[in-house]
Amino acid sequence: PDARSAAPTLLQLMQDRSNSANFRVLRKMAPEMADKVIPILLARLADPNPDRRAAAARLLAEAGAAAHAPLVAFLAQSLKEGNRTALLGALEVFQQMDRLNHNLPNPSLLSAGLQEARLTDRIVVNDPAVHAGLIRLLEDTDVELRRGAVCALGVLGGQVRPALPALNKLASQDPDWKTRGYATRAIR
């Protein structure tokens, strides 16, 4: 039988439980179905289980341009609602994208043999509320939110020039060494 006939079953499995391998198989086997998986992964970004959130974030980062617009909409909604769990999930996607953009080894991708060379697509965010929300997060006391915002702004690049003073300050003064490193990279 045609391997594509398994695609609907894999899609159903993804809805039932977090299985990263299913998405990768589905993407290779039936790329036209991968778009149906993105909403499932976005919903997983709000999962209270941090491992499922991280798995969804990694997969969305790998999904490329097809995930950009839905991810930005999810981020905008999470910023608006102030849902910390969903925000952490969305910002984790940007951390994964930052890793790919800077050719940093991603242990989960290396083990799966999927390390990408570089992202070619920049995410474009034309929503000033998202820009303002990310800049506000740079002053948050929660290091995970602050670090995620730094990564998101780094991925967005020059679109968010008003963030440069805050990023410069974080690069030299943030108490978290990882956040300082991400901020230094974001302003380059």
Side-chain angles (χ1 to χ4, degrees), residues 61-65 68 97 100-103 116-124 155:
E62 292 174 32
H68 291 181
M97 289 177 172
L100 292 173
N101 276 338
H102 291 91
N103 290 327
E116 310 249 349
R118 288 186 87 71
L119 287 180
T120 55
D121 304 315
R122 274 274 191 215
I123 293 183
V124 177
V155 169

Side-chain angles (χ1 to χ4, degrees), residues 106-126:
N106 180 329
S108 66
L109 293 179
L110 287 173
S111 66
L114 294 168
Q115 181 69 44
E116 310 249 349
R118 288 186 87 71
L119 287 180
T120 55
D121 304 315
R122 274 274 191 215
I123 293 183
V124 177
V125 177
N126 294 318

Side-chain angles (χ1 to χ4, degrees), residues 11-12 14-15 36-45 56:
L11 187 60
Q12 182 60 43
M14 287 203 62
Q15 291 171 339
K36 295 178 182 176
V37 175
I38 290 172
I40 296 168
L41 295 174
L42 287 170
R44 289 239 172 86
L45 293 178

Side-chain angles (χ1 to χ4, degrees), residues 25-135:
V25 170
L26 183 63
R27 188 177 62 191
K28 297 287 185 198
M29 213 169 63
E32 67 276 4
M33 291 202 62
D35 289 343
K36 295 178 182 176
V37 175
I38 290 172
I40 296 168
L41 295 174
L42 287 170
R44 289 239 172 86
L45 293 178
D47 193 302
N49 180 312
D51 293 332
R52 283 196 287 265
R53 268 197 325 264
R58 283 190 299 274
L59 293 171
L60 282 163
E62 292 174 32
H68 291 181
L71 173 61
V72 170
F74 183 87
L75 176 60
Q77 187 66 29
S78 300
L79 283 165
K80 183 178 175 183
E81 293 173 356
N83 180 338
R84 181 183 185 276
T85 303
L87 261 175
L88 285 173
L91 295 171
E92 173 71 18
V93 179
F94 286 100
Q95 285 182 299
Q96 295 295 330
M97 289 177 172
D98 180 75
R99 236 183 222 119
L100 292 173
N101 276 338
H102 291 91
N103 290 327
L104 298 175
N106 180 329
S108 66
L109 293 179
L110 287 173
S111 66
L114 294 168
Q115 181 69 44
E116 310 249 349
R118 288 186 87 71
L119 287 180
T120 55
D121 304 315
R122 274 274 191 215
I123 293 183
V124 177
V125 177
N126 294 318
D127 186 344
V130 171
H131 296 170
L134 290 172
I135 292 169

